[in-house]
Structures are given as structure tokens and as C-alpha cells.
Amino acid sequence: MLKRKLIVLFFCMFATAAIAQDSYDTSVLLQEISINSYRFEQFSEGSKQQRIDSTSKSNHFASTVAEALNSLSTLYLKSYGISGNTSISLRGTSAAHTAILWNGINLQDPLNGGTNLELIPLQAVDELIVQYGGSGALFGSGAIGGAILMQSKAQFQTGLKTSVNVGIGSFSSYFAQASIQKGGKKTAASLRLFYRQAENDFPFENTQQFGHPEMTQTNATVKYFGISQDSRFLLAENQQINTHIWLQKSTRELPPNMTILVSKQLQTDEALRFSTDYTLSTSQYDLMARVGLLCSKLIYNDSLSRIYAKHISRSAILETELNYKIKTNHLLNFGIHERIDWGESDNYAQISHRNNLAFLLSYKVWNTEKTLHISSSIRQEIIDENWSQATPALGLTYKLGEYLQFSGKVSRNYRQPTFNDLFWQGGFAQGNPDLLPESAWAQDIGASFQKANNKSNFSLSLSAFNTYIKNLILWIPIQGIWIPQNQKEVWSRGIETDLKFSKTVQKLKLNFELHYSFNPSTLEKKAGNETDAILNKQLIYTPKHQAKAFISFQYPLGNLSIEEQYVGKRFTTADNTKWLDAYPLTNIILSSSFKKEKQNWGLSFRLNNVFNQEYQSMENYALPGRNYQISIHYNFN
Amino acid sequence: MKLKNIIYLFVFSLLFVSCTKTEDTPDYGEYGAGVLISNEGTFGAGNGSISYYNPNTDSVTNEIFQLENSRSLGDVVQSVSRIGDYTFIQINNSNKIEVVDAKSFVEMGAIQKLTQVRYAIGDENTAYASAWGTWGADGKVYIIDVNTLSVTDSVSTGLGPEAMVLLNNKLFVTNSGGWGFDNTLSVIDPTTKTVLETIEVGANPKSMVVDKNDNLWVLCSGSALYDENWTPIGHRPAKLVQINASTNAIIKEIPLFDEQHPSKLAINSDGDKLYIGAGFGFNGIYTFNISDASFTETQLINKSFYGFDVNPEDGVIFGYEALNFTERGKLYRYSESGAELGNYLVGIAPNGSSLKRNK
């Protein structure tokens, strides 16, 4: 019922925007300041960030955020089969250690700490940024390995724009996206719809069964539908309101591993996300406020083993921040963030809830030449009545000469236990209300060289990082009952290099990117009931070596892109006696477009896994060989 | 060297060769003589395995199926049994039995669609496999032709059929309850493939042995009771039940524990001493003499085992510690008196073994 009301509400909003008359002559546009990204943009000194650019985005015309990041960044995606659940690993940490931010709101599920990026179509977001390394001072609990930022925003003064994109792919997959937006001087709105379905009945040789039979993947159908709406209102020259609404439902069959022939697992995920923010900006200060609401429902049903589970979570968010601009080279940000999470599950005695009140303070200073920027932040969260550990951060960037830049950062980060960790009961398992948060200190240093002119751009950056996580939560059986305990410690460190090169030669534009990471992530302290054989060993499903490369050739007539990834061997046992072999993967994308006045027609073709590489990202789960996607798109500007 | 000497040497060596031939030690192959340990693996990961304890070298080789066949064994390896010239590996969540050559562990076939298969017994002609069935509500014993490795028939049992014993031409099957509750023993005629009788024994019978007088001993594990909010509200007690295998009549019942639930019963080589212990959440191994009138709670070994077995030849106890169920567990060997003889890393979640030597 609530959902229906909201649908009505945002259709109304959209209609308002579309018919809005730009009768006010406002020449001064409010600066692009929003509570959704302000702290990240202003106080991230010393952190490595990777922005997924528009070429990569359009190459991934049918991808999910998970698929795109897997081929473009050094994030490792662990997937339980083609339509199964996925989890990510950033800088040697687990999925619960990466904050997933949608317009600044953390989408990590309060019940289990996870977010399935495989459920988020890349086209649902305007901007996708990977922030590597701990950023608890900015984003609070959960941001130990890093954060993934997804932004969407309606734009002023764009006129009317529409776009439609439909396509098909291997294994009976069909997808469609449509968007319409109108940006006036004082109002802007956009509406997006997306749909995808796939049978995923790909053929594979089942190497894990007797006789290695040729089989077809079963129980892997996926269907999802989503709708999102962004609006923007300029209330006065220095005041504006943004709203974001996102509704999505997905139904997925979860495939069995290759040692099991039949599965009947089905999972439905529904999400409603809403936020609205207000900004008042003056030359002296900015006042920003935001209200957010998240609802999500997960239903898991296994009709073979008669397991049925329903998990519902709701979150309400109220945040306010104030920026002071002192002189011309100081910036102060103070904020209060309040969030309440509710969790409902058959495995909780009652509806569980948690109140998180956070105070945050950030300060940035720079010299008059703007070669040195120093920022420091601290965040203090109060969980229910308990003060949790403060998360401070200190970072700087220093520009030496024309081409060189150095950066460094020290930060403390942490993660609250999930509701399951705290409140679970039943089935020989019991949550532990006395759990401590996981905590981590992290250090980052980096150096980069960049040389650019109007024809070419070259940049090379080198980053080194070091994170030590204490009090890792682990479920262990104690006298027949599984109880989570703070027992393990993990040391993740490594080096990342990022090379970017682009050059324009007459009508040809060449783009090249290479990202490499070397990341030992080892267990330094084990739980009491584990064997010594696992100490100091690389964590399972955490590749020590990863490289992702991308090259594109852009002509006015069309583009050719090649994506290449190399994922090093990943151990599957904690004592490192078993592993999945390293694999290379190649994707090729061809696209062409034709423009006539305001209309733009395009055709894109994507060939994944060109060399039919057999590989696994999770032991015993089959993944498809060579497969394609083709799409036709139409834009009107 | 003179030619004569060479001839002597030749003759002597011939003698030597024939000598070894007459001794005729049985050929156990690489994996036929030692202890096969079933390691469940992590649920959903398909990483169950078999470890091999070699008594001659006092060492363990892990993942011998993967080693010999270069593929995964399956999801939740429940048990392993030597049947005829084969070794049968029952893989619960993969709903299959993988069959390998007992000596070399080279794959010979797979018997599929045995929903929630648990244990198997049998000889070179016929094997019997217990299986819980869909939702654990469709208990069956499958009858397997060992020559063709195919299912020829099945007999429905109670809920959660578990341990089996073939005695006096009858197949006894404990109905453990599966995910629910049962308290019976099914007595099956293997020729007519019908249930002759269902004997009520006690809550959740899971394990069974035969004593020196050819009487059956059944371990009824009992179970913890919960209300709808998973709050513990009590227990069905654990007990031993002795049964006359000819008349199917209960001889005596021995109460064991009121609030603890051992899941494994084993017997010494003389067939007069029972070992009770192991199972998720149960600590220790206890003994009971079959002539005793009541059970005294004296622990032989104080350790939490997920499964254990007693070697019928020398009385050595093999205890399997699952630790945290996600990393490798351990095998502990103990003398009959409970003194530790050694410990070894095995696979993930070890739960039991096959100690029987292959002919």
C-alpha cells in the first residue's frame, strides 16, 4: 500500500517537473553542493579513488554494478553461480567491510551486513566511484576495505532528453532501459525504468561429476524490474531540494554447485529507497539536511529442503551538516547523523532495532598556492546508549612541481556487528549481544605523476596500503551452539598501480587503462578452535594478484574496446592447501552510433569471455563460456 | 665369478621368487588396507573429501578422491563404506553415491538421485543405502545391484533412516527422525523387500551395533525440545536398547543421559563393551559393558568429537574433531584405555570412517 502511494507520489513529482514553466529568470545557479557527496569530495585527502568513466559505462550497457566493477576495478567478486548471490572483496576484506553508498546513504543490510551489487543495474546510477581503503571517519561503520559510491542526480538546464535501450543476449537474456529527463532553470526531473530477464541456461562440461557430462545450467533464471526517479528544485538562488526514489524487485533462482544436479532455491529481493535533501548555501556557510528511508525484504525459499526464510529491514535516516568557510583556505564541517534500523526475521525473538547517533567533525586547510591540502575528520557514533570507538582520520595531498603529487592518510575504521550477529536465535545458533565492533587502523601512501595537454594525457600512480583488523567476528560452535565471537585478526596490505593513457590522433581517440594490485591479506590471530595450519596464511577467496586492463579506440564512426582481466590464484582452504587457478578473461565491445539533429541511434555489441575460458570465482560453481549481448539504443536530446 | 656360481644364483633367485609367491599377502592396493575417513566439507561448497590413514606409516593422506580423480567429490560427505571390490561414498547434499575402486580409489561410477543419502552396507552382490528423502520426510532404503551400480528397488522406512545392520537374514534400520521425530526400528526382509515389523525403541535412534551374542544394541540419541521461538523447553532423554535379533523383542533398556545427546555407538573386538559418544554438541566418549544393569557416567576420553569409530582388530579408537566446521578438522587416535596415540589433520568436518579392511 505504501509502495502504491509512493509510486503515485513520484509520478506526480515527475509530472510537475515536466510541465514546469521556467518563468523565473535566475542566472546564478547554486553551486553543486549536496550532503550526498560533500564530505567525500572535500575531506578524502590521501584516499585512492576510481571513477568509472562514461566510455566504460556505455560499454557495460547491460551489466550490473558488480559485473562492471569486476572487470574495471581491482575489486574481487565472489559469485555463487551466474544468478546466485555475490559478495565483494576490496583490499583483502570481506563484503561487510565495504560501505555501499547510494546518494550518501549506506545500503549495507543491517541484518547481515551484505549488499548484493549483482542486483543493481549500472544504468540505474549516474556516477560510480570506488574509494579504496578505510574511510570510517566519513562513512561510519562498515567502511574498512573501502566504499562504493553510487550517485544519481537530476540536472538543470538540459532541456528534454529521452533514451531507450533494448537488447538481447546469450542464454535467453533480454534487457531494456528507458529514461526521460527534463532540466529547466529551477526544476529538473528524471525517470528511469529498467528490466532484465535471463534463463542463464548455458552449456558447460560438468568436470565435478562422474564422466564429465556436458550439461546445461539449471535453476538460474533471473528477472528484475526497477524504477527510479530523481527531482531537483531550486527554491531560491541559494536553496535547493533534491529527491531520489528507487524501487526494485528481483526474482532469482539460485543455481546449485556442480556436485548437485537439482536445486529449487528461489530468492526474491524487494527494495524501496527514498531520500530527499536540502541545501542552503552562502559565501560563509552551507547548511545541508537529509531525510532518508530504506525498506528491503528478502524471501528465500528452498522447496526441496523446505527451508523458507523472510528477512525484512527498514531504516530511517535524518542527517544535518553545516560547513563553515573560514577565510579562503579553511573549511570546517560539522554534522549530526541519526539512523534507526529495524530488522524482522523468524530468527529474532522480536523486531530488533538499533539506534545510531553520530557526531562528525571535519576540518581542511590548504596553502595559498593550493599545493598542500590537509584534512582531518573524526566521527563518534553512539549505538543505542553505548559510545562506540571514535574513528579519526588524517590525510594530506602535496603537489610537487607540475606533474607530481604525493598523498598519505592514517585512519581508524570499524564495523558494528550485524543484527544476525547480535540477535539470532534458533537452529543451534545464538546471537551474542556482548560482541564488540571489529576495528582497524589503516595507513595509505601514494605518489602519482600526471602529464596532460589537449592531445594526450598520461598518468601513473602508485599506492601502498596497510590495514590491521582486530576483533573479527566469527561464528564458532560452543557446546553444540553456534555463537559469534570476536576472535580473529587479519593483516591486509599491498601495492596498487594505476596507469592511464589517452591520446588523440586526428579523428582517433585512444584510451588505455591498467590497474594492478598486489594484496597479501593474512590471518594473524586465529580462533581458539582452529588449527595452527591456518596462521599467517592468505585469506580464502582473496587473490594476491589482480590486473584489469582496458583499451578503447574511438572513431566518429564507432568504438572498439577490449577489456582484459587477470585474476590470480585464490585459495579455497584457510591453510592454503587448495586453490582455484588463476585465469585471464577477455571481453570485446563494438559500438557505432548515428546522429541526426537531435536524434541519436546506436548499436552496441559485446562479446564476453572471448576465448571461452573455463573459470570459477567460487569453487564448484559453473560460469558461462563465450557469450554475447547486443543492444539498440535511441537518444533524443 | 664362475659360471657355476651364476647358475646357483639364478636357481636361488627363482626359489626366492616362488617363495614370495607362496606367501601370497593379499593385495590391498594403495587405499584398501587403512582407515577411510569421511569429511563432510562445508554445506553448499561441494568440498567434502575422504582422508586416508595409513597404519603402516602412521600418517594421513587427505583428499584422496580429488587426488586420484582430479575433481570434487561432493557436497556434505556423510559416510564411506567398503562394499565388495568397491568403496561407496555417500554424499548427502549431492544426493548421490560415488563409487570408486577400493584399492586405487579410481572412479567407477555414480549412483544419482538418492535424495539425502546417509549410509550404505552390503557385499559384492547387493548394497543397501539409507536415505532421508525430500524434506527428510520420505525415508527409504535403496537396494543397489553392486555389479551394475544401479538401484533395483527401494523400501520405505520411518523418518530419517540411518544405521543399518544385516543379521539373521533381516535388515534392521534405525529411524532417527530426520529433521523431525521418530523412535522406531524398521525390520526389512531383503528378499521380499517388505517391512516385516516396526519396533518402537526410543527417541531418535541413530546408531546400532551387534554384540558377541548376536543381539542388537541401539543408541537412541534423544533430542532437545524447543518452543516456536527456539527457546529450549526440555529434552527427550538418551538411552540404549538391546534387542534380540531373532525374535525382534526388546531385552533391556539402559537410560544414558537426560539432557545430552550422543549420536554414535561402537563396540570392541570381543563384542562385550560399548562405546558411546560424539555428535554435534556432545562432549566425550563413554563405555558400557553389555552385562551391566545400569550406565555410570565415567568418561573414557574428554573431547568433543563429531564422530568416532573403534578398530575391531586392535581396539584403537579413532576420534574425529570437527573444530569450527569450516577449516580442517583432526583425527585423534587412542589406545583402548584412552591414551592418545597421535593426532593428524584431516578434511573439513570429519564425521566417521570405514575401518574394515578390504579383502
Side-chain angles (χ1 to χ4, degrees), chain A residues 140-154:
Chain A
S141 169
I144 293 180
I148 289 164
L149 293 94
M150 302 181 291
Q151 310 266 12
S152 62
K153 197 183 225 177

Side-chain angles (χ1 to χ4, degrees), chain A residues 474 488 523 526-532 534, chain B residues 323-324 326-327:
Chain A
L474 175 76
K488 290 191 170 188
L523 186 74
K526 65 182 183 71
N529 66 346
E530 294 177 314
T531 64
D532 289 339
I534 67 173
Chain B
L323 294 169
N324 72 350
T326 47
E327 314 311 340

Side-chain angles (χ1 to χ4, degrees), chain B residues 84-327:
Chain B
D85 292 331
Y86 295 129
T87 291
F88 277 42
I89 306 156
Q90 287 64 247
I91 305 157
N92 186 258
N93 199 37
S94 294
N95 306 314
K96 66 176 178 181
I97 295 178
E98 288 279 354
V99 182
V100 297
D101 178 80
K103 291 173 185 168
S104 66
F105 240 70
V106 168
E107 57 186 350
M108 303 302 286
I111 308 164
Q112 298 277 2
K113 294 184 187 166
L114 307 174
T115 309
Q116 302 273 300
V117 63
R118 304 287 294 180
Y119 295 90
I121 60 165
D123 56 26
E124 57 275 12
N125 297 313
T126 313
Y128 303 94
S130 57
W132 287 9
T134 307
W135 310 318
D138 186 22
K140 273 191 178 93
V141 169
Y142 289 97
I143 299 162
I144 295 160
D145 182 339
V146 177
N147 294 307
T148 61
L149 297 179
S150 58
V151 173
T152 55
D153 217 329
S154 69
V155 183
S156 286
T157 61
L159 287 181
E162 199 85 341
M164 290 170 293
V165 161
L166 196 59
L167 190 63
N168 299 339
N169 247 329
K170 292 185 283 193
L171 181 69
F172 295 87
V173 186
T174 64
N175 296 310
S176 71
W179 302 114
F181 176 74
D182 203 328
N183 58 355
T184 60
L185 201 64
S186 297
V187 187
I188 294 168
D189 182 341
T191 355
T192 62
K193 290 147 190 145
T194 52
V195 177
L196 298 170
E197 197 178 337
T198 303
I199 313 167
E200 210 167 287
V201 283
N204 309 97
K206 285 187 179 170
S207 193
M208 180 166 54
V209 293
V210 183
D211 69 15
K212 61 178 181 184
N213 308 315
D214 274 358
N215 289 320
L216 282 174
W217 285 89
V218 179
L219 172 65
C220 303
S221 299
S223 46
L225 296 167
Y226 298 91
D227 69 7
E228 58 196 13
N229 292 324
W230 285 96
T231 313
I233 50 168
H235 291 265
R236 296 186 182 103
K239 66 177 177 179
L240 280 172
V241 178
Q242 190 187 20
I243 290 164
N244 182 320
S246 313
T247 65
N248 304 341
I250 292 176
I251 301 168
K252 63 178 175 185
E253 297 190 10
I254 311 287
L256 294 176
F257 304 94
D258 289 338
E259 298 186 349
Q260 290 181 72
H261 309 288
S263 65
K264 175 74 185 181
L265 188 63
I267 195 160
N268 66 345
S269 49
D270 292 336
D272 57 6
K273 188 165 75 173
L274 302 178
Y275 295 82
I276 301 143
F280 188 66
F282 185 85
N283 186 54
I285 293 175
Y286 297 79
T287 55
F288 176 77
N289 288 310
I290 59 166
S291 52
D292 286 357
S294 69
F295 173 72
T296 46
E297 277 192 39
T298 34
Q299 248 178 16
L300 177 70
I301 300 164
N302 178 15
K303 198 172 248 317
S304 239
F305 295 114
Y306 192 43
F308 78 95
D309 279 296
V310 177
N311 192 340
E313 287 181 6
D314 54 12
V316 171
I317 300 158
F318 286 72
Y320 304 110
E321 190 185 23
L323 294 169
N324 72 350
F325 291 81
T326 47
E327 314 311 340

Side-chain angles (χ1 to χ4, degrees), chain A residues 34-49:
Chain A
S34 163
I35 191 170
N36 298 345
S37 56
Y38 187 81
R39 286 164 56 76
F40 164 71
E41 281 159 6
Q42 294 296 334
F43 301 101
S44 291
E45 262 71 27
S47 292
K48 180 183 148 185
Q49 291 153 15

Side-chain angles (χ1 to χ4, degrees), chain A residues 152-194:
Chain A
S152 62
K153 197 183 225 177
Q155 302 290 346
F156 288 131
Q157 290 187 329
T158 57
L160 181 70
K161 283 166 98 172
T162 55
S163 107
V164 179
N165 172 12
V166 291
I168 56 168
S170 302
F171 323 127
S172 310
S173 77
Y174 305 92
F175 50 90
Q177 289 132 15
S179 73
I180 176 165
Q181 55 179 306
K182 177 147 194 223
K185 283 177 182 167
K186 290 189 160 263
T187 12
S190 78
L191 178 72
R192 260 182 276 223
L193 294 136
F194 32 90

Side-chain angles (χ1 to χ4, degrees), chain A residues 108-125:
Chain A
Q108 279 175 291
D109 189 62
L111 278 75
N112 61 25
T115 314
N116 194 352
L117 290 176
E118 195 65 36
L119 296 181
I120 301 179
L122 185 63
Q123 304 302 329
V125 296

